[in-house]
Amino acid sequence: MSARTKARKRAIDVLFAADVRDEPAAELLAQEAERARTQPERETSWRYAREIVLGVLEHQDEIDELLTSYARGWTLERMPALDRAILRMAVWEIRWNDEVPTAVAITEAVEAAKQYSTDDSGRFVHGLLGRIAESVPPVVES
């Protein structure tokens, strides 16, 4: 498993836990930062996981608006919490991380959904991210 894939998993874990526990993601991020300091083997993947979580937090309103707008017949509340975490991460990568090709962001999200969520999640995540990627251009921040 690549360092970026591990980082995505860590980011999904933080976003999911914050959502399910109704706790601030920033607090969970601080706990993960402390764990990463005591486990040097986690450092490489931790840096990118942190970047993802902070990016999702910074753009969460816009991300959630996109998910709501492009999820045909689904509200955010109706989506499984794990799917929400995966989708938020992937939308951030697609829109705000120009280092990750859109196809890679979608593929990684679909694989995470297949591995960690429901039987239907892979197709759902793929379809929703595909619609967003086709319709909404990436943001180039300077």
Side-chain angles (χ1 to χ4, degrees), residues 10 30-43 46:
R10 284 181 171 63
Q31 292 169 12
E32 284 297 313
E34 183 59 33
R35 188 175 308 153
R37 273 194 285 283
T38 62
Q39 298 174 7
E41 68 278 4
R42 296 171 64 104
E43 185 177 347
W46 165 246

Side-chain angles (χ1 to χ4, degrees), residues 4 7-8 11 15 29 44-59 89 92-93 96-100 141:
R4 284 242 167 146
R8 287 180 183 97
L15 295 169
L29 197 60
T44 303
S45 63
W46 165 246
R47 278 185 252 133
Y48 187 56
R50 181 177 180 275
E51 183 180 348
I52 292 168
V53 173
L54 291 175
V56 168
L57 294 177
E58 181 179 350
H59 299 286
M89 174 201 65
W92 176 78
E93 282 191 316
W96 288 278
N97 188 346
D98 59 0
E99 294 177 13
V100 176
E141 295 183 10

